[in-house]
Amino acid sequence: VKNPEKRRLRIIQTLDDYIQWADKINIGTVLLRQYSLAGKFRETLWPLKYFGKTDNGHAVFLLRLKECKLKKAASLFPSALLLEYITCTMEIMLHTLKSWKCNCRSIIIFDCMGMSMTDYYTAYKAGLSTILSLLGEYYPETLHKFYAINAPSIFAWCYGVMKPFIQPDTVRKINIIRNRKTALSSLKAIGVDLQRLPQDIFDDGVNSYDYLVSDEVIQLLENEEGTSRLSDILESIKTRQVTHRRG
């Protein structure tokens, strides 16, 4: 929004919407609850991987649809449960970025490689559109740039259908790129270390990553709920050493 007053009013409205939503779901208790399927959620629907950060401090995350198990996710996570798990993940993400001294706004690379029309329908049923809508509505300030790479024409069509329901400020952060060379050039221009990425994205890549939600935090989330467990989760995030495993 070019008009400063309109932008100010939009920010206020977004903040007001978030406050009302956070109050409705009792956001302060999100990390106190038990998430017995936390491991399954990461495995089937949200295997978000961390690939370091730019010189400006923006964390770089990669989500590959071909690594998701969408049919299984659709059977495990009905809509209401799905929203609980993604909200928990986002709250963990905010604590994690603070601990890693990253900018609160991240770069997310969404790799569509190898996906068919059937896969997109399955992704829709599994709730990816619900997740993206929630992130755009209530966590817009956590996103710096979003790149959908290796995106076939059907993805652009699906995005066109969803676009009117996404916040305008968020829309301006979204880039859909079909050509791999163009995608790599764009990512390099904003400071992404291409050599960390998988080889089927960047030829000289070494696939050096770690998951956003660690194995230890997943184990804690799957345990009994309570305030003492919350302290353990926050301590685990604070003292975590990124392993940069090779895949």
Side-chain angles (χ1 to χ4, degrees):
V1 180
K2 294 182 179 180
N3 186 305
E5 180 61 16
K6 285 185 178 181
R7 180 170 178 78
R8 185 183 71 83
L9 292 174
R10 178 161 289 164
I11 291 173
I12 292 173
Q13 183 62 54
T14 299
L15 181 60
D16 185 59
D17 290 343
Y18 174 81
I19 291 172
Q20 291 185 43
W21 170 76
D23 184 61
K24 180 180 178 181
I25 68 167
N26 200 358
I27 196 77
T29 67
V30 165
L31 294 184
L32 293 176
R33 304 169 197 164
Q34 182 182 18
Y35 297 88
S36 58
L37 297 174
K40 294 294 184 183
F41 181 74
R42 188 183 76 175
E43 173 193 345
T44 63
L45 193 57
W46 207 242
L48 197 64
K49 295 177 178 178
Y50 171 68
F51 283 85
K53 57 185 177 181
T54 67
D55 291 340
N56 292 328
H58 298 292
V60 179
F61 294 103
L62 173 65
L63 179 65
R64 314 193 78 178
L65 285 185
K66 70 178 185 178
E67 294 181 353
C68 299
K69 300 173 183 177
L70 298 172
K71 289 184 179 179
K72 189 173 182 179
S75 67
L76 289 173
F77 300 99
S79 181
L81 188 62
L82 175 65
L83 292 176
E84 287 185 25
Y85 273 78
I86 192 60
T87 302
C88 170
T89 300
M90 290 306 298
E91 293 302 309
I92 289 173
M93 180 177 183
L94 293 174
H95 285 290
T96 301
L97 293 178
K98 182 178 179 181
S99 175
W100 289 348
K101 294 180 171 55
C102 292
N103 190 301
C104 65
R105 297 185 179 187
S106 300
I107 297 166
I108 296 182
I109 306 168
F110 191 65
D111 183 17
C112 309
M113 184 184 293
M115 303 303 292
S116 66
M117 181 64 183
T118 301
D119 294 322
Y120 281 107
Y121 178 68
T122 304
Y124 178 82
K125 286 184 63 178
L128 279 178
S129 60
T130 302
I131 290 175
L132 295 177
S133 295
L134 181 140
L135 299 183
E137 190 74 20
Y138 301 118
Y139 291 96
E141 295 307 310
T142 63
L143 181 65
H144 176 58
K145 293 287 185 182
F146 180 95
Y147 288 90
I149 64 173
N150 298 310
S153 55
I154 184 61
F155 183 89
W157 181 86
C158 291
Y159 172 66
V161 173
M162 294 175 57
K163 189 174 179 179
F165 304 100
I166 303 174
Q167 289 276 5
D169 284 348
T170 302
V171 168
R172 279 186 283 275
K173 301 173 184 178
I174 296 174
N175 303 271
I176 299 177
I177 306 175
R178 300 182 64 181
N179 180 274
R180 187 174 80 143
K181 185 176 180 180
T182 302
L184 292 174
S185 178
S186 299
L187 292 171
K188 184 177 180 180
I190 61 171
V192 174
D193 184 354
L194 301 181
Q195 288 191 325
R196 286 180 178 268
L197 299 177
Q199 283 188 340
D200 57 353
I201 294 179
F202 180 66
D203 291 339
D204 294 326
V206 296
N207 201 17
S208 176
Y209 72 92
D210 203 347
Y211 285 106
L212 166 63
V213 183
S214 69
D215 295 342
E216 182 176 358
V217 168
I218 282 179
Q219 291 175 1
L220 290 167
L221 289 171
E222 292 178 341
N223 290 338
E224 293 297 321
E225 58 190 33
T227 53
S228 60
R229 193 206 59 177
L230 173 60
S231 299
D232 292 339
I233 289 174
L234 296 179
E235 182 63 21
S236 176
I237 292 172
K238 182 180 178 181
T239 59
R240 177 182 177 184
Q241 297 294 318
V242 181
T243 60
H244 293 305
R245 64 188 88 184
R246 302 290 176 91

